[in-house]
Amino acid sequence: MWRFCGNQLKRWRTKANVSREQLAAASNYSPDTIKAMEQGVRMATPRVLDVADELCRAEGMLSAAKDYLSREKFPPRAREFMEREREAVGHWSYESTLIPGLLQTKAYARALIENRYPPLDDETVEARIAARLERQAILTDRTPPVAFSFILYEATLSTPFVDDEQRRRLLEVAGLRNVTLQVLPFDRAIAAALMGAMVLLDTRDHERLAFAEGPFASELSADPEVVSRVAGRLSMIRAQALSPEESARFIERMVVRDD
């Protein structure tokens, strides 16, 4: 919808012979921001749509788009995964650098989202923090409960963003009956653990999906070969990780040590 709205904005502007600079000045935005809206990278704001509607003599056609636009809660590359996650009955994951979104405190989520490059505007930051916290309801609010298995490399627990509040949150979630949380210490690391984060989802329709997220691209796949590779890596890592009980003690010692 962002891209479609931006495309229509550009078409009407071009047809009316209104320059990007003229629209930017009239709506109090920079030309680069107008360009980003036209490309669908940013959401066209109600002010821009109303100003463009008047400048381009669109007779309400552009202003009407306001009713169909909403600020996206998740980055484009993660939206399909979030949709499938809501349908999952099983969720198995490994994280090598960051605390998984389902386990993050508000402060930890804010630290990550606010320090994103390129920077996000304040409204998007708040929307994404709220969405991340809302997403965590899947841990406790589903009937029957979703089965969760989290494996965290020790590095995820050692960054400056991870404070005692975050570590205690991990211990709290680990106590849920439908959640298994394990830690892979540095001295147990294997090659498969250094290849990045991954998730396996099991759906109600007995479909298995693999998700891998990187800094610039993410992939959700139902390809049996891809799913098999991810399942194999997860199994190898789980075999090396501490047991859930040992993992809880490992995290507890980190809290005591920092105190």
Side-chain angles (χ1 to χ4, degrees):
M1 181 57 72
W2 286 18
R3 291 194 299 271
F4 177 76
C5 182
N7 177 269
Q8 292 301 303
L9 178 62
K10 183 177 180 179
R11 286 176 178 271
W12 278 98
R13 181 180 60 74
T14 302
K15 180 181 178 181
N17 199 29
V18 174
S19 70
R20 187 175 287 146
E21 288 72 20
Q22 288 175 305
L23 176 56
S27 58
N28 199 29
Y29 283 96
S30 72
D32 285 342
T33 299
I34 298 298
K35 181 180 179 181
M37 292 179 185
E38 292 181 345
Q39 292 175 339
V41 176
R42 294 188 60 169
M43 184 183 77
T45 63
R47 183 167 79 243
V48 165
L49 292 171
D50 285 339
V51 170
D53 195 277
E54 183 176 351
L55 284 178
C56 302
R57 299 179 294 280
E59 299 181 351
M61 298 294 288
L62 287 173
S63 292
K66 293 184 294 185
D67 296 334
Y68 299 92
L69 286 174
S70 61
R71 189 169 299 278
E72 296 289 356
K73 294 182 177 181
F74 301 106
R77 59 196 176 95
R79 285 175 203 150
E80 185 180 3
F81 170 74
M82 299 302 174
E83 291 173 5
R84 302 307 298 269
E85 183 184 64
R86 286 194 291 268
E87 306 167 3
V89 296
H91 185 293
W92 325 98
S93 72
Y94 168 71
E95 180 57 70
S96 58
T97 56
L98 301 172
I99 302 295
L102 290 173
L103 307 180
Q104 293 175 8
T105 63
K106 184 175 183 179
Y108 183 92
R110 180 177 296 280
L112 297 184
I113 294 171
E114 284 189 336
N115 285 280
R116 184 182 180 277
Y117 184 85
L120 300 170
D121 61 82
D122 291 343
E123 291 183 40
T124 300
V125 167
E126 296 304 324
R128 292 193 179 175
I129 292 172
R132 188 163 297 183
L133 299 180
E134 290 169 10
R135 179 179 159 226
Q136 295 176 2
I138 193 176
L139 292 167
T140 56
D141 293 355
R142 282 274 300 276
T143 304
V146 180
F148 288 94
S149 173
F150 298 99
I151 308 174
L152 307 181
Y153 189 37
E154 184 177 348
T156 67
L157 306 172
S158 305
T159 69
F161 295 139
V162 180
D163 56 12
D164 280 354
E165 179 189 18
Q166 178 61 75
R167 296 187 183 104
R168 291 189 177 105
R169 171 61 178 164
L170 295 177
L171 293 170
E172 175 187 351
V173 175
L176 297 174
R177 183 169 54 83
N178 60 313
V179 174
T180 298
L181 190 149
Q182 295 174 262
V183 174
L184 178 69
F186 289 133
D187 60 9
R188 293 196 181 190
I190 57 176
L194 305 178
M195 298 170 64
M198 53 191 161
V199 180
L200 276 181
L201 298 178
D202 289 325
T203 72
R204 293 189 185 93
D205 299 325
H206 308 291
E207 182 182 20
R208 179 163 272 194
L209 304 169
F211 180 70
E213 184 174 17
F216 304 111
S218 301
E219 179 184 10
L220 180 67
S221 176
D223 185 322
E225 184 176 344
V226 174
V227 169
S228 178
R229 288 203 306 269
V230 171
R233 282 181 58 206
L234 276 172
S235 296
M236 292 171 64
I237 294 169
R238 184 179 293 112
Q240 297 299 318
L242 300 175
S243 71
E245 294 76 16
E246 292 171 327
S247 298
R249 291 194 292 270
F250 187 96
I251 297 172
E252 288 169 353
R253 286 195 297 271
M254 296 186 77
V255 175
V256 172
R257 182 185 66 200
D258 288 350
D259 287 345

